[in-house]
């Protein structure tokens, strides 16, 4: 008798984004003429950089001739892309990476979800709270998160609250945790850590033999030179951290799928008998067995963002989104809201007014300002009392949304 | 202290294909002027269908304008592709599938590797032997395969030998097995099952509450009308089988990555207390959590193979490979070899002459005929005494390889 993985059944039945979709549908049925501005979902809206477009046309044409046709590529990604990544994303920051330390993939969601394959099911995990739900859900699926307790916490997960009370700086735990997820710039709060703050985490990890899973998907949005783009800017991180990167928000690749994961040769984890095992070798084996590389055409598009033209094009698009963020932040503050993030990240984290719950504020914003955000509580217990807005919309929508928000608060 | 998944450490250190690469390198160093014909690896060599090329250029251009730009797509794939799959691959065979039963992915390797996520780690598994190594390796990684015994078998895996002794027809087990992997047309043997033979497996699965994981990646190569293309041609299969399909060999998509998996609504597995859980819902949850859809551009390329032009173009390419297969089969038989497969599949399964081992024959073929195959034993214990050749090469290479084989056997 085939048996299911019962850990899946522990996951709550409904999704944050499907609950939101239902509420929007209900609104639309009752208000058929009212247009709604959606600033909730974290998808980009601007076209791909022209350099990537040209690279993809060229790559498509290569597929028409057997002399230039590309079949299976390396599971780890093509050398041309790995070289461009090392040369442009790491070397200028003084980080030396070997070719076999970078694994190109179809995106950071896959990699942050699948990384658990190489780790024991009973490691304890720690997450900053609120967080990107994939970290928790993928751990629930393999039993690592434990069971869902009545207060909404998972029994084997240590939650590190990040709220306005601690300036969104997670406190270093007073106990050993096997695996810690950090995402900086943070989704959903849009906040960052300085080098000094991140160093405390690396020191904690080295002292406690903790593995840090560092999600840097939004690093391209960092404006402040004090904010590290990579955890490997911190000494010792090569021994304790795996870093995830994505082209989704850097270059608008949400629809064409590319990201990469760095697993330095020095990062190890232990067997029960204490033997140290390099995780690079295990991740390589995982990818070679259960993944077959990402599209050649997409990899050429990714390579192209590192050309001088590509760099300038993504700089402009990021500036566009960050101008959105500034307009929204200023608009919200003028309307009397307290807003976090939006300076080194494309996310704004808005404190709900008057002690409202996340969902109450969501409803009020939808019904009175016709603007859609994402309830903060959907990202974890410490997200209660906040709402996330993203800067990935159209400029005119952001401006119009701020007008509505101001009218609604008067 | 972060602990590794120790099941990974049970995997043998060396890979079949890296062992082959080493041997070829050694030969090249000692025979620098001798060209080698590689008929070992299962990658395609012919360009993509023109219909897919045109669709990709169009899709790339859509990415240049914000009005037509596509960001995140559905994790399950775009409706346009799912509709084309249902209408063309299933409806003409009398198989009705719902839209939510088809999950588009980045390939059958990912899906056959990841499907285990939704199943308990202690299900017993059965595989035809020899088989595609991903089935075994992905089960080793989660502990489901048990431990590697001295005779090369995994302790929790039931091997169903397929050799010339039983005409490559696996015997129905005399015990209950929770999960059975079937791949037809078969990789590596190139053999098939008739509807009557496959029906025995569906009947077994229904009687024993077994889940069949049916890999139909090579169905496009079937010539014989008696050979089923889908397991759902067999009554009752909707209750017990998940089917994997790939565009890799059908349309040359090995480099651009697309496949799909069918999980009918009726397929269930049990909890320990006997409750039935639909696997469709679990696979959907798995994909939504750990996958973010396959490239929009690739999905448009896949849709295009179902156009009248696309169908004709892939028909021609498949005919080209199957002509290769015929030339190789005839050449080998004229040279005195016994050859299986190659009629409804792009693989030829060659009996080693004179009781040679797979590796001995591999070496002899490399050093005396300068032709590379894949040792059958690399696909499992019952592959010993065979060698796999693929029909995916260039025509002139296949013809030249047969000339060399004939000379070498004289």
């Amino acid at each position: 008798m085939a048996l299911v993985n019962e850990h899946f059944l522990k996951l709550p039945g409904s999704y944050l984004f499907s609950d939101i979709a239902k509420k929007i549908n209900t609104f639309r049925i009752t208000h058929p003429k009212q247009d709604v501005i959606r600033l909730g979902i974290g998808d980009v809206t601007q076209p791909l950089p022209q350099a990537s477009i040209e690279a993809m046309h060229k790559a498509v044409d290569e597929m028409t001739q057997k002399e230039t046709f590309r079949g299976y590529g390396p599971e780890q990604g093509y050398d041309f892309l790995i070289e461009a990544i090392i040369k442009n994303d790491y070397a200028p920051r003084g980080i030396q990476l070997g070719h076999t330390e970078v694994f190109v993939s179809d995106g950071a969601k896959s990699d942050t979800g699948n990384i658990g394959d190489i780790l024991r099911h009973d490691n304890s995990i720690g997450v900053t709270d609120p967080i990107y739900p994939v970290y928790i859900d993928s751990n629930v699926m393999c039993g690592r998160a434990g069971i869902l307790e009545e207060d909404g916490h998972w029994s084997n997960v240590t939650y590190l609250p990040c709220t306005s009370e601690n300036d969104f700086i997670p406190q270093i735990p007073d106990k050993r945790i096997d695996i810690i997820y950090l995402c900086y710039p943070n989704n959903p709060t849009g906040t960052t850590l300085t080098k000094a703050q991140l160093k405390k985490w690396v020191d904690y990890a080295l002292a406690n033999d903790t593995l840090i899973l560092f999600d840097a998907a939004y690093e391209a949005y960092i404006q402040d030179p004090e904010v590290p783009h990579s955890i490997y800017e911190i000494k010792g991180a090569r021994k304790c951290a795996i870093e995830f990167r994505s082209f989704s928000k850097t270059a608008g690749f949400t629809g064409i799928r590319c990201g990469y994961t760095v697993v330095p040769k020095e990062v190890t984890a232990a067997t029960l008998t204490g033997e140290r095992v390099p995780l690079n070798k295990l991740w390589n084996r995982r990818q070679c067995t259960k993944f077959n590389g990402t599209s050649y055409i997409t990899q050429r598009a990714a390579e192209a963002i590192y050309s001088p033209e590509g760099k300038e094009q993504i700089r402009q698009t990021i500036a566009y989104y960050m101008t959105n963020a500034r307009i929204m932040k200023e608009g919200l503050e003028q309307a009397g809201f307290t807003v976090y993030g939006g300076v080194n990240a494309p996310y704004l984290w808005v404190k709900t007014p008057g002690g409202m719950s996340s969902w109450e504020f969501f409803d009020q914003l939808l019904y009175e300002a016709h603007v859609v955000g994402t309830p903060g509580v959907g990202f974890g217990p410490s997200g209660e009392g906040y709402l996330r807005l993203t800067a990935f919309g159209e400029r005119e929508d952001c401006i119009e949304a701020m007008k509505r928000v101001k009218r609604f608060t008067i």
Side-chain angles (χ1 to χ4, degrees), chain A:
Chain A
M1 181 165 67
L3 295 171
V4 296
N5 174 354
E6 293 188 32
H7 300 305
F8 270 71
L9 310 180
K10 299 174 186 168
L11 287 164
S14 70
Y15 300 87
L16 175 63
F17 289 105
S18 65
D19 289 346
I20 292 171
K22 271 182 220 157
K23 281 182 176 277
I24 296 172
N25 277 340
T26 306
F27 176 82
R28 281 190 169 148
I29 290 164
T30 52
H31 304 72
K33 288 184 180 168
Q34 182 60 57
D35 73 308
V36 170
I37 299 176
R38 303 183 69 153
L39 301 175
I41 295 175
D43 198 3
V44 296
T45 54
Q46 300 303 301
L48 285 179
Q50 190 58 31
S52 296
I53 295 288
E54 287 163 17
M56 287 197 287
H57 277 309
K58 186 161 171 283
V60 169
D61 284 334
E62 287 178 44
M63 293 301 210
T64 64
Q65 304 295 326
K66 61 186 181 185
E67 292 75 19
T68 51
F69 173 80
R70 302 266 189 154
Y72 290 123
E75 285 94 345
Q76 303 87 349
Y78 278 101
D79 272 345
F80 62 76
L81 179 54
I82 292 173
E83 279 169 26
I85 288 166
I86 292 173
K87 185 179 160 196
N88 292 281
D89 287 346
Y90 290 95
R93 299 186 182 280
I95 301 162
Q96 307 304 323
L97 293 180
H99 273 226
T100 57
E101 295 180 318
V102 177
F103 296 84
V104 174
S105 74
D106 66 332
K109 186 181 181 190
S110 303
D111 287 357
T112 55
N114 291 328
I115 193 74
D117 279 10
I118 65 172
L119 299 162
R120 249 181 93 92
H121 65 93
D122 55 1
N123 282 291
S124 60
I125 68 168
V127 295
T128 56
D129 175 33
I131 66 153
Y132 179 46
V134 166
Y135 308 156
I136 296 273
D137 290 356
S138 61
N139 279 290
V140 173
M141 288 176 175
C142 67
R144 201 179 287 117
I147 57 167
L148 186 58
E149 293 172 343
E150 281 186 17
D151 63 359
H153 293 75
W154 291 89
S155 61
N156 201 27
V157 178
T158 299
Y159 291 79
L160 307 164
C162 295
T163 64
S164 60
E165 280 74 41
N166 63 2
D167 280 332
F168 300 94
I169 310 300
Q171 198 184 329
I172 301 287
D174 53 8
K175 61 176 181 182
R176 283 170 74 138
I177 299 172
D178 300 324
I179 302 166
I180 300 255
Y181 288 82
L182 296 177
C183 172
Y184 287 100
N186 187 253
N187 175 15
T189 67
T191 59
T192 53
L193 295 183
T194 62
K195 277 185 196 171
Q197 288 160 346
L198 187 56
K199 182 177 184 302
K200 289 184 186 169
W201 282 101
V202 172
D203 291 345
Y204 166 84
L206 293 171
N208 289 277
D209 199 2
T210 295
L211 175 67
I212 295 177
L213 300 176
F214 191 77
D215 186 347
Y218 302 96
E219 65 79 30
Y221 289 83
I222 295 169
Q223 313 292 319
D224 182 342
E226 283 308 298
V227 175
H229 289 241
S230 166
I231 195 165
Y232 306 118
E233 293 180 45
I234 313 297
K235 202 178 163 187
R238 280 185 59 90
K239 284 189 186 162
C240 62
I242 290 174
E243 180 164 292
F244 304 93
R245 292 274 186 111
S246 171
F247 294 96
S248 287
K249 308 301 163 58
T250 303
F253 278 35
T254 51
I256 64 169
R257 313 303 316 137
C258 201
Y260 64 89
T261 291
V262 178
V263 189
K265 295 278 186 191
E266 295 93 319
V267 180
T268 61
T271 66
L272 280 183
T273 54
E275 186 198 346
R276 307 301 304 190
V277 180
L279 295 181
N280 181 287
K281 192 178 149 192
L282 265 54
W283 183 244
N284 186 54
R285 189 67 199 249
R286 192 269 167 211
Q287 291 298 82
C288 288
T289 300
K290 297 169 125 187
F291 181 62
N292 226 339
T294 198
S295 163
Y296 169 69
I297 294 164
T298 297
Q299 291 189 63
R300 283 292 187 197
E303 179 195 26
I305 73 160
Y306 297 108
S307 67
E309 302 74 27
K311 281 179 184 172
E312 175 55 22
Q313 289 154 11
I314 64 171
R315 195 197 59 72
Q316 286 179 16
T317 303
I318 289 169
Y320 176 90
Y321 292 136
M322 290 311 287
T323 301
N324 284 351
R326 184 180 52 73
I327 290 168
M328 290 163 69
K329 191 173 169 74
E330 288 172 2
L332 288 159
E333 285 173 347
Q334 284 165 18
F337 290 98
T338 304
V339 186
Y340 304 94
V343 176
N344 291 302
Y347 294 118
L348 288 88
W349 192 239
V350 187
K351 186 99 187 89
T352 62
M356 247 187 269
S357 76
S358 292
W359 279 110
E360 282 168 351
F361 184 46
F362 171 90
D363 285 338
Q364 197 171 348
L365 213 56
L366 174 59
Y367 277 82
E368 297 183 21
H370 319 124
V371 170
V372 176
T374 309
V377 70
F379 298 99
S382 298
E384 182 55 280
Y386 296 88
L387 185 109
R388 189 189 76 172
L389 295 178
T390 84
F392 292 125
E394 297 287 342
R395 177 67 43 79
E396 51 269 40
D397 286 342
C398 295
I399 293 169
E400 171 62 19
M402 291 308 107
K403 283 185 192 160
R404 294 185 187 180
V405 167
K406 281 176 202 167
R407 278 201 305 272
F408 137 75
T409 51
I410 289 163

